[in-house]
């Protein structure tokens, strides 16, 4: 099925074929989907390389960092915090918009998210970056 908008001829598929006989609308991958996939990939890589680094740590995503303090000019890419109550998990928050703005491509976003997560976990747990991500080479 194709569409003809304003008499300018067929422009492309209106819906993709579905093996079950139903028509599924085309859906492009959004920036949010791409970012969540990059975070999931980074967490999986750390779990594979050093699973004990994520014990008692929760990884979260926020769109933008909270308001900057007076005089602070640098926008953080992530934040790590230890809980006030020992029963609560530590939290690493990755900020979506600052990370997306610094990445030139989808692959660049994946690399930046992974490096940012590894650096925050390293600072939080005291483990060297090479333990958390042996594939990361210093620039």
């Amino acid at each position: 099925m194709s569409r003809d908008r304003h008499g300018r001829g067929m422009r492309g598929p209106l819906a993709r074929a579905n093996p079950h006989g139903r028509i599924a609308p085309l859906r492009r991958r959004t920036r949010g989907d791409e970012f969540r996939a990059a975070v999931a990939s980074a967490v999986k890589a750390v779990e594979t390389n050093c699973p004990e680094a994520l014990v008692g740590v929760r990884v979260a995503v926020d769109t933008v960092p909270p308001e900057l303090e007076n005089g602070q000019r640098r926008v953080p890419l992530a934040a790590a915090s230890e809980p006030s109550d020992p029963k609560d998990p530590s939290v690493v928050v990755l900020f979506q918009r600052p990370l997306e703005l610094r990445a030139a491509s989808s692959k660049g976003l994946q690399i930046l998210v992974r490096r940012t997560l590894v650096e925050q976990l390293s600072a939080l747990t005291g483990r060297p970056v090479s333990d958390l991500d042996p594939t990361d080479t210093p620039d």
Side-chain angles (χ1 to χ4, degrees):
M1 198 186 301
S2 294
R3 58 184 166 180
D4 180 5
R5 288 172 132 181
H6 309 288
R8 291 183 279 179
M10 298 302 188
R11 296 289 177 186
L14 181 61
R16 64 175 174 247
N18 188 324
H20 303 292
R22 294 183 300 257
I23 295 177
L26 290 175
R27 181 176 178 270
R28 292 190 176 173
R29 193 170 179 178
T30 64
R31 282 190 298 172
D33 294 339
E34 193 173 311
F35 187 77
R36 283 188 291 279
V39 171
S41 173
V43 170
K44 187 175 180 178
V46 171
E47 279 180 340
T48 302
N49 295 322
C50 188
E52 53 276 354
L54 291 171
V55 173
V57 177
R58 187 175 64 120
V59 177
V61 172
D62 200 354
T63 309
V64 293
E67 284 189 37
L68 300 175
E69 296 176 12
N70 292 338
Q72 186 177 1
R73 293 178 185 225
R74 293 179 44 172
V75 176
L77 302 178
S81 63
E82 293 190 13
S84 55
D85 185 4
K87 296 177 186 175
D88 294 335
S90 299
V91 180
V92 173
V93 181
L94 299 169
F95 300 120
Q96 181 177 349
R97 293 297 296 150
L99 286 163
E100 286 177 338
L101 291 172
R102 284 168 180 78
S105 65
S106 177
K107 183 68 176 169
L109 180 64
Q110 290 177 349
I111 292 168
L112 184 59
V113 167
R114 185 171 176 166
R115 285 184 178 175
T116 304
L117 177 63
V118 165
E119 287 172 4
Q120 292 297 315
L121 286 172
S122 176
L124 191 63
T125 63
R127 296 179 186 277
V129 171
S130 60
D131 285 356
L132 299 171
D133 189 9
T135 62
D136 191 16
T137 57
D139 293 334

